[in-house]
Amino acid sequence: MANHKRGEIEATLDGERYRLCLTLGALAELESAHGVGDLVALAERFEGRRLSARDLIRIIGCGLRGGGNEMCDEEVARMTVAGGLGDYVKIAADLLSATFGESANPPPPGSASG
């Protein structure tokens, strides 16, 4: 079971339940992938409320690895979720919210970006 106080969430991918967490190592991986120098810049990057498919793969992949699941981003990109794009966005949003708070939470698909 996920411990939300530690920034963990649970998500179902490919019909299996996983624990995801953006650990310090996972956050460092995201900093590097997005070319930012610190956690504040990383949080600000996600507060922009614009996520690409590649962003979703990286965020979910880092969360999976931080939760103890050894898989590369290519494997994550092939995983499916029951609700399609909306569920991918929800997983990433829940993970960012658990890590940074509500301010890093992107909007649902189809809503206006700010």
Side-chain angles (χ1 to χ4, degrees):
M1 180 169 236
N3 182 339
H4 295 283
K5 291 183 181 183
R6 291 192 319 204
E8 298 174 352
I9 68 162
E10 288 186 352
T12 302
L13 299 146
D14 276 346
E16 289 189 47
R17 198 84 175 143
Y18 291 93
R19 183 174 57 94
L20 292 80
C21 183
L22 290 178
T23 61
L24 282 176
L27 290 167
E29 186 178 339
L30 283 172
E31 284 175 347
S32 177
H34 290 286
V36 298
D38 57 47
L39 290 173
V40 172
L42 186 63
E44 288 172 350
R45 162 74 170 81
F46 295 130
E47 284 176 356
R49 302 202 182 271
R50 296 181 70 132
L51 295 175
S52 68
R54 187 77 200 146
D55 289 335
L56 295 175
I57 292 166
R58 284 183 180 143
I59 293 165
I60 294 168
C62 285
L64 284 164
R65 289 185 289 279
N69 306 286
E70 293 301 320
M71 57 185 65
C72 65
D73 283 351
E74 290 76 21
E75 291 171 296
V76 174
R78 290 189 297 270
M79 297 178 98
T80 60
V81 293
L85 179 60
D87 276 2
Y88 290 115
V89 172
K90 181 174 179 0
I91 292 167
D94 289 349
L95 190 52
L96 291 171
S97 178
T99 304
F100 294 109
E102 291 299 320
S103 64
N105 199 354
S111 66
S113 59

